[in-house]
Amino acid sequence: MGSIDMPTTAENNSSPTPTATADGGLHPGESNGTLGDESNVSKKRRGGMLPLEVGTRVMCRWRDGKYHPVKVIERRKLPSAGANDYEYYVHYTEFNRRLDEWVKLEQLDLDSVETVVDEKVEDKVTSLKMTRHQKRKIDETHVEGHEELDAASLREHEEFTKVKNIATIELGRYEIETWYFSPFPPEYNDCVKLYFCEFCLNFMKRKEQLQRHMRKCDLKHPPGDEIYRSGTLSMFEVDGKKNKVYGQNLCYLAKLFLDHKTLYYDVDLFLFYVLCECDDRGCHMVGYFSKEKHSEESYNLACILTLPPYQRKGYGKFLIAFSYELSKKEGKVGTPERPLSDLGLLSYRGYWTRVLLDILKKHKGNISIKELSDMTAIKAEDILTTLQTLELIQYRKGQHVICADPKVLDRHLKAAGRGGLEVDVSKLIWTPYKEQN
């Protein structure tokens, strides 16, 4: 996270200032101050290509100080500026969409401009008139993997969600840069930053509003039942039907960090499991997962998120493990809702690998995939895929046979990394939802 320091540029008719590249030379196309004619020609050429069109590909200086290829996604005119004074919303083609951002003209190498504009972008959102119903439909569509969308709907989704609407949020003691678009109500369209109450998740436009709210808000933890506490960690189960506003606010918040999350306005059908770090000030959310109350596809997890300040601390692995402990309590096998995000797939593959190989290392004699499924609550298909990926399974005489050489298992376990925080099952006090009614 962090901002990019912008260099000052020459204005009016002064000579352009040379810019050093990573190798110590001058930036391509920049004058050293001695070639006046070439500089004037370059100025005229650049002036003719400005402002850059949406869809233009160009090199852009990123926060690492190096130039990377980008594609212009959107542009907006700077207030009180000249005819060609715009800033540009760009996608770094080498990186995930979460790093898309607004940049100044000074960060772009205009001599690297590719003038070909993508056909897909020519139908840009500024000319795409959508009704409120169409926007809501796009918000509710799950697009990861593109299985559920036809080409037209996919284009609409990409166009409508291509620019981050909220740049930063304040949540508890953290200010967090957002990653993706989230469809907040229209009255928040002009907000660059939102302020969240970390306990009830109500959000406001101004810091003063949050301060007034905190003096009145009597919540010190998520509005649900505490079903797990071990040390300073607590897990709360929040019923979307009983706490609808909290559930919806949690979805708005999560969408800022999940590219292809389905945004459900009807949260009644879901349970939210909110993980918190607790201290004398209250229980502070670090992440959550949700699950359908009744899933015909045996899904034990619909959505999972660890907030950025708490990532790389083992909480994501903990949330996955917790979802399977609930499945064991239910006496069911479970699997995450598909399709998985890129980070989600990596996390699950790591979890499945560690759990299955730990059993195979300790187990003496033959063991079947069904037995592994019964022991772990992992769906048989996920076990099969994981073992095939690790090349630990063969197909012999009409059935799958697990080949578990101890040295190979150790190598795969080392590659899978540490398991993260352990779920202490003895601290879990929980009744499956169907038994609560």
Side-chain angles (χ1 to χ4, degrees), residues 347-380:
S347 298
Y348 267 95
R349 279 182 177 163
Y351 173 79
W352 292 329
T353 298
R354 286 186 297 272
V355 170
L356 296 173
L357 299 198
D358 276 339
I359 293 175
L360 292 177
K361 274 192 69 175
K362 298 170 185 174
H363 187 80
K364 304 298 181 184
N366 295 329
I367 187 170
S368 69
I369 289 177
K370 185 181 186 308
E371 287 171 325
L372 284 172
S373 182
D374 292 340
M375 295 168 68
T376 62
I378 300 173
K379 201 171 183 180

Side-chain angles (χ1 to χ4, degrees), residues 3 7 64 72 86 89 93 100 103 105 125 130 142 153 212 227 246 251 267 281 285 291 319 347 401 411 422:
S3 58
D64 62 358
V72 176
Y86 284 77
Y89 193 80
T93 56
D100 294 1
V103 300
L105 181 63
V125 74
M130 286 190 287
H142 204 312
S153 297
R212 286 198 300 270
I227 62 172
Y246 181 90
C251 289
V267 294
R281 296 185 298 112
M285 183 177 76
K291 64 181 288 187
L319 290 169
S347 298
V401 180
R411 189 173 73 246
E422 295 285 335

Side-chain angles (χ1 to χ4, degrees), residues 176-187:
I176 310 170
E177 288 187 16
T178 64
W179 293 357
Y180 303 112
F181 172 91
S182 182
F184 284 89
E187 57 266 32

Side-chain angles (χ1 to χ4, degrees), residues 127-183:
S127 63
L128 186 64
K129 305 298 182 183
M130 286 190 287
T131 65
R132 183 179 300 175
H133 172 74
Q134 286 173 311
K135 289 179 181 179
R136 183 184 177 99
K137 179 182 176 184
I138 291 169
D139 294 343
E140 294 178 348
T141 305
H142 204 312
V143 304
E144 179 129 13
H146 306 168
E147 291 88 348
E148 301 174 18
L149 294 182
D150 57 28
S153 297
L154 177 59
R155 271 177 78 179
E156 283 188 340
H157 171 88
E158 290 177 344
E159 291 295 345
F160 185 61
T161 66
K162 65 183 180 179
V163 179
K164 275 183 280 193
N165 49 340
I166 307 296
T168 58
I169 62 167
E170 185 174 305
L171 181 71
R173 67 179 189 270
Y174 292 105
E175 181 175 274
I176 310 170
E177 288 187 16
T178 64
W179 293 357
Y180 303 112
F181 172 91
S182 182

Side-chain angles (χ1 to χ4, degrees), residues 10 48 100 146 193 196 250 270 298 346 379 383 390 411 423 434:
D100 294 1
H146 306 168
K193 181 176 180 179
F196 279 80
L250 181 55
F270 290 86
S298 301
L346 284 173
K379 201 171 183 180
I383 295 175
L390 298 173
R411 189 173 73 246
V423 179
K434 65 179 180 181

